[in-house]
């Protein structure tokens, strides 16, 4: 493609070092779609006639079919997907194929292809997140009233329900969808027509191209358009944050499935055994998910680092955008799919959860609230309950069996009524609180939303 300027062929090592066809081949559908839209605009501009356009369109579609069916040989000597397709097109249709690249650079071509690819993958991943939310929601509905300890610092804090706990993740993943939906607006902008950096003296109808490809609008600065990778970095951050949320629920499930907790059981289909210890049932999906989250982080840092010192406009460093992008998308898609499947088949051990939540210490804050309702300032109430807790711990007596009236006159005979899980949950009626009524209402709302 640049033989007129050079007297020597590119060295083999340089070809190996600089090729991207080994991974950017996956952009072929987007490259072909962009090329057809570009060629159609050339007809309007007078650089192609209708017959030439039809030859180009037919040739590109035949190439697409061959790639779909695995009957296309990619060449490392042609570096990337763009040149592999263009070279093959020229072989198939002759001179008309050599006209396709008029008023276009690989710079705006790859930017267009990548945006089309990202847009498609955003839609796919958003759908997958909703499928994971649906799996969580079904479990939240089934266990809406299953009482479980809520934790801070991994220490038992206050009673909640399994449904409330799982709905917390539905909320997290909803924010992920919001971020991806918002990022899609910045992805869905057409750079085609920006050329190498300064457009072209052959002015194609950029809006026509954008409309055909489904873009919302065209870019407004050619230099920014071909060097912009903000949208990829933004997506890699969004993907990393989805990974964070997957990793957090993975950690919860690892704990829940341990013998020490015993709150949940994963299906045999989503666990593994030990090559040595016959009794083991390991939550490997959860552990692999935690590990792959680090991979998502690394891909984000990789591209941020590659882009941080680049002057305008295009620099070959930007070729390093694709492997992190492709890897993050592949990693996240399978993680979402396997976690949705695993969670859908999970069983919660309700009796074990209830036994853990029946620890009267979980209602210590409710006891302080009781005192507040009887006119005791909260800090004083906190101290009085702390005294009761200290006595319970020292004497190894359950908190609900301590004679509270010996601690303070502010404790009445009705103080023991605080130690009821049913009462405690029923009282938590504020929006966002874990009363069973609230949890069921949230389940209904999310079912309608999803």
């Amino acid at each position: 493609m640049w033989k007129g300027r050079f007297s020597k062929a590119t060295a083999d090592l340089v070809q190996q070092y600089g090729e991207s066809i080994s991974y950017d081949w996956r952009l072929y559908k987007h490259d072909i779609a962009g090329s057809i839209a570009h060629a159609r605009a050339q007809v309007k501009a007078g650089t192609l006639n209708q017959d030439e356009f039809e030859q180009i369109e037919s040739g590109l579609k035949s190439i697409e079919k061959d790639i779909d069916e695995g009957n296309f040989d990619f060449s490392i000597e042609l570096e990337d997907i763009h040149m592999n397709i263009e070279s093959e097109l020229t072989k198939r249709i002759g001179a008309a194929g050599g006209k396709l690249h008029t008023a276009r650079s690989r710079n705006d071509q790859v930017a267009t292809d990548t945006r089309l690819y990202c847009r498609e993958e955003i839609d796919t991943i958003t759908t997958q997140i909703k499928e994971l939310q649906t799996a969580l929601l079904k479990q939240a509905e089934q266990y809406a009233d299953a009482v479980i300890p809520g934790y801070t610092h991994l220490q038992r804090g206050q009673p909640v329900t399994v449904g409330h706990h799982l709905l917390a993740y539905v909320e997290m993943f909803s924010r992920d969808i919001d971020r991806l939906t918002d990022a899609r607006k910045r992805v869905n902008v057409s750079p085609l027509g920006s050329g190498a950096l300064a457009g072209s003296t052959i002015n194609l109808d950029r809006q026509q191209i954008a409309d055909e490809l489904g873009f919302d609008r065209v870019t407004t600065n050619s230099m920014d358009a071909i060097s912009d990778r903000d949208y990829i970095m933004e997506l890699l951050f969004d993907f990393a944050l989805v990974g964070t949320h997957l990793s957090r629920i993975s950690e919860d499930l690892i704990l829940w499935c341990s013998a020490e907790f015993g709150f949940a059981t994963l299906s045999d289909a989503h666990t593994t055994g030990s090559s040595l210890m016959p009794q083991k049932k390991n939550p490997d999906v959860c552990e692999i998910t935690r590990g792959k989250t680090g991979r998502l982080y690394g891909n984000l840092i990789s591209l941020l680092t590659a882009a941080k010192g680049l002057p305008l406009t295009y620099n070959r460093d930007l070729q390093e955008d694709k492997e992190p992008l492709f890897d993050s998308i592949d990693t996240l898609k399978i993680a979402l799919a396997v976690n949705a499947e695993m969670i859908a088949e999970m069983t919660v051990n309700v009796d074990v959860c209830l036994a853990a939540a029946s620890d009267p210490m979980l209602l210590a804050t409710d006891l302080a609230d009781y005192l507040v309702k009887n006119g005791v300032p909260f800090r004083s109430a906190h101290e009085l309950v702390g005294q009761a807790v200290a006595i319970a711990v020292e004497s190894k007596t359950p908190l609900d069996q301590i004679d509270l009236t010996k601690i303070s006159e502010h404790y009445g005979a009705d103080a023991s009524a605080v130690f009821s899980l049913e009462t405690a949950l029923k009282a938590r009626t504020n929006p966002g609180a874990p009363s069973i009524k609230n949890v069921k209402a949230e389940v209904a709302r999310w079912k309608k939303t999803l």
Side-chain angles (χ1 to χ4, degrees), residues 171-307:
E171 294 283 347
M172 291 184 205
F173 291 121
S174 178
R175 294 195 295 273
D176 291 326
I177 290 174
D178 287 346
R179 273 183 285 270
L180 287 169
T181 301
D182 190 57
R184 194 185 190 279
K185 300 173 187 175
R186 287 175 286 284
V187 168
N188 204 32
V189 184
S190 176
L192 202 55
S194 300
L197 78 152
S200 171
T201 58
I202 300 171
N203 293 315
L204 304 185
D205 188 337
R206 295 189 65 207
Q207 191 59 54
Q208 173 189 314
I209 296 170
D211 291 342
E212 180 170 341
L213 295 173
F215 286 115
D216 293 331
R217 58 186 177 86
V218 299
T219 55
T220 55
N221 184 291
S222 60
M223 297 178 76
D224 177 57
I226 59 93
S227 63
D228 174 25
R229 296 298 184 273
D230 292 3
Y231 65 97
I232 298 180
M233 289 181 272
E234 182 177 359
L235 286 179
L236 290 178
F237 167 77
D238 291 344
F239 296 155
L241 195 48
V242 177
T244 300
H245 297 151
L246 285 170
S247 187
R248 292 188 70 182
I249 195 169
S250 293
E251 178 65 11
D252 271 344
L253 294 182
I254 289 167
L255 292 170
W256 283 13
C257 292
S258 67
E260 286 70 20
F261 279 70
F263 292 171
T265 303
L266 299 176
S267 76
D268 287 356
H270 299 101
T271 51
T272 65
S274 165
S275 62
L276 177 66
M277 298 168 282
Q279 83 282 9
K280 292 295 295 296
K281 184 175 180 178
N282 302 323
D284 279 15
V285 169
C286 300
E287 294 171 5
I288 292 170
T289 300
R290 281 190 315 193
K292 287 189 180 294
T293 297
R295 184 170 178 160
L296 296 174
Y297 293 176
N299 287 335
L300 170 61
I301 296 301
S302 175
L303 185 52
L304 285 170
T305 304

Side-chain angles (χ1 to χ4, degrees), residues 47-351:
T47 56
L48 284 178
N49 60 43
Q50 185 62 32
D51 179 64
E52 289 170 325
F53 168 75
E54 289 174 2
Q55 289 181 56
I56 289 172
E57 182 179 36
S58 176
L60 288 171
K61 287 184 175 179
S62 71
I63 291 171
E64 182 176 16
K65 183 174 183 294
D66 286 347
I67 298 176
D68 284 340
E69 296 174 352
N71 297 322
F72 190 91
D73 293 325
F74 295 107
S75 168
I76 192 174
E77 293 179 357
L78 293 169
E79 285 196 350
D80 57 30
I81 187 59
H82 325 297
M83 292 310 303
N84 268 265
I85 289 174
E86 184 181 326
S87 176
E88 181 62 24
L89 178 66
T90 303
K91 286 180 185 178
R92 294 190 185 191
I93 70 171
K99 294 184 176 183
L100 175 60
H101 208 55
T102 303
R104 183 175 71 172
S105 165
R106 283 196 300 170
N107 293 354
D108 60 345
Q109 190 176 0
V110 67
T112 302
D113 293 357
T114 308
R115 286 177 181 272
L116 289 171
Y117 171 80
C118 287
R119 185 180 71 187
E120 182 179 287
E121 294 299 338
I122 287 171
D123 293 344
T124 299
I125 289 171
T126 298
T127 298
Q128 284 192 285
I129 294 173
K130 289 180 180 178
E131 290 168 354
L132 176 58
Q133 286 180 298
T134 299
L136 287 165
L137 186 58
K138 287 180 179 177
Q139 294 284 20
E141 182 176 29
Q142 182 174 351
Y143 300 108
D145 56 357
V147 188
I148 193 172
Y151 293 80
T152 65
H153 309 279
L154 205 54
Q155 305 295 315
R156 291 176 182 173
Q158 295 177 290
V160 294
T161 73
V162 172
H164 192 65
H165 190 116
L166 296 179
L167 285 173
Y169 287 103
V170 176
E171 294 283 347
M172 291 184 205
F173 291 121
S174 178
R175 294 195 295 273
D176 291 326
I177 290 174
D178 287 346
R179 273 183 285 270
L180 287 169
T181 301
D182 190 57
R184 194 185 190 279
K185 300 173 187 175
R186 287 175 286 284
V187 168
N188 204 32
V189 184
S190 176
L192 202 55
S194 300
L197 78 152
S200 171
T201 58
I202 300 171
N203 293 315
L204 304 185
D205 188 337
R206 295 189 65 207
Q207 191 59 54
Q208 173 189 314
I209 296 170
D211 291 342
E212 180 170 341
L213 295 173
F215 286 115
D216 293 331
R217 58 186 177 86
V218 299
T219 55
T220 55
N221 184 291
S222 60
M223 297 178 76
D224 177 57
I226 59 93
S227 63
D228 174 25
R229 296 298 184 273
D230 292 3
Y231 65 97
I232 298 180
M233 289 181 272
E234 182 177 359
L235 286 179
L236 290 178
F237 167 77
D238 291 344
F239 296 155
L241 195 48
V242 177
T244 300
H245 297 151
L246 285 170
S247 187
R248 292 188 70 182
I249 195 169
S250 293
E251 178 65 11
D252 271 344
L253 294 182
I254 289 167
L255 292 170
W256 283 13
C257 292
S258 67
E260 286 70 20
F261 279 70
F263 292 171
T265 303
L266 299 176
S267 76
D268 287 356
H270 299 101
T271 51
T272 65
S274 165
S275 62
L276 177 66
M277 298 168 282
Q279 83 282 9
K280 292 295 295 296
K281 184 175 180 178
N282 302 323
D284 279 15
V285 169
C286 300
E287 294 171 5
I288 292 170
T289 300
R290 281 190 315 193
K292 287 189 180 294
T293 297
R295 184 170 178 160
L296 296 174
Y297 293 176
N299 287 335
L300 170 61
I301 296 301
S302 175
L303 185 52
L304 285 170
T305 304
K308 72 178 179 62
L310 299 184
L312 288 176
T313 55
Y314 184 80
N315 298 272
R316 195 63 179 273
D317 314 48
L318 291 176
Q319 183 170 303
E320 292 300 308
D321 65 347
K322 292 175 195 63
E323 286 183 287
L325 174 65
F326 296 159
D327 183 70
S328 284
I329 286 172
D330 290 345
T331 299
L332 187 56
K333 284 165 71 173
I334 193 169
L336 287 167
V338 71
N339 276 278
E341 189 177 277
M342 177 187 69
I343 288 168
E345 296 188 26
M346 175 181 71
T347 301
V348 173
N349 304 318
V350 175
D351 292 342

